[in-house]
Amino acid sequence: MPDSGQPLGRPRDSHIDHAVLTAARELLAEVGYARVTMDATAARAGVGKAAIYRRFGSKAELLFAAAVHDMGIEPPPDTGSLRGDLHALARLIHERLGNPLARQVTPALMAEMVRSPELTARLQQTFVAQQRADFAALLDRAEKRGELPRPLDPSLAHLLLSGPVFMALFAFHHPVDDVLLDDIASVIAAGLIARAAAPTGGSGPLPRPM
């Protein structure tokens, strides 16, 4: 798999980034996930294919960035409470996963991940790590406010908040509105606060599945 890391000392060209992601979105809408190729994306963007591989190690990573989010995501602004922050982030997750292109890419990407442990590892190290950084920022805010008496592992909050939105959209096809997102955020905020206040239970990373 080509290396998608940016070479040291070579600044990223934001114009190329924009052109590549725009081309990928256009092709995805026109021909669907299976028929998008790196060659076609490079031609549409007016760049060399090597420029794409310097940014993304595979078509799957490119289309995830184009349809869901790239590596430039940031946590939502501070709302003043853990519940409010989780509600704001739930809205962002729903927006990212609920758009038509993301709803096309996500099932195809999940199928590829089943076949490719290497792809799964790369996504964990890039996009998933960036998502968890956002959750870490939210939990850090809550700890500084005094809502959480001790640190919690952001992977727990990530799993708890992303899971229900994902299941509603892709498994149950359940209508998702702001009332549901607020209910989800409220329950998770209460659970995280209770877990942090509990005398036992630990706050380390979630165990890996066997």
Side-chain angles (χ1 to χ4, degrees):
M1 180 178 292
D3 181 7
S4 65
Q6 181 70 12
L8 293 176
R10 184 174 184 171
R12 276 277 280 267
D13 186 331
S14 61
H15 297 292
I16 293 178
D17 293 347
H18 177 74
V20 168
L21 291 176
T22 298
R25 291 186 195 102
E26 291 174 353
L27 288 168
L28 187 59
E30 292 170 13
V31 304
Y33 183 95
R35 296 179 63 187
V36 175
T37 66
M38 296 298 237
D39 286 325
T41 304
R44 176 72 63 96
V47 302
K49 190 163 63 171
I52 300 180
Y53 277 121
R54 282 196 292 271
R55 291 158 171 79
F56 305 102
S58 67
K59 182 182 87 168
E61 294 168 61
L62 166 63
L63 294 185
F64 182 92
V68 184
H69 70 75
D70 60 18
M71 290 295 291
I73 61 169
E74 295 182 358
D78 192 340
T79 67
S81 72
L82 178 59
R83 171 183 171 176
D85 283 357
L86 289 172
H87 186 189
L89 190 51
R91 288 194 190 108
L92 286 177
I93 293 169
H94 178 246
E95 179 182 327
R96 291 167 186 159
L97 291 178
N99 75 77
L101 294 183
R103 296 190 75 154
Q104 179 186 162
V105 164
T106 302
L109 184 61
M110 296 295 292
E112 286 202 37
M113 291 171 68
V114 170
R115 297 189 297 266
S116 173
E118 294 81 6
L119 174 61
T120 301
R122 283 186 58 82
L123 292 175
Q124 289 282 343
Q125 294 161 7
T126 53
F127 298 109
V128 174
Q130 187 60 42
Q131 293 166 11
R132 286 184 178 161
D134 287 355
F135 279 90
L138 266 60
L139 295 179
D140 183 60
R141 291 176 191 169
E143 190 180 356
K144 289 177 178 176
R145 293 188 203 105
E147 292 178 279
L148 297 177
R150 63 185 174 92
L152 289 177
D153 178 24
S155 63
L156 175 63
H158 185 198
L159 180 65
L160 290 173
L161 189 62
S162 301
V165 179
F166 180 90
M167 291 296 289
L169 288 172
F170 294 100
F172 301 146
H173 303 285
H174 190 289
V176 179
D177 58 19
D178 202 54
V179 174
L180 177 61
L181 295 176
D182 185 45
D183 286 344
I184 291 171
S186 298
V187 170
I188 293 170
L192 291 173
I193 290 169
R195 178 175 172 83
T200 60
S203 61
L206 296 175
R208 293 180 178 271
M210 298 299 289

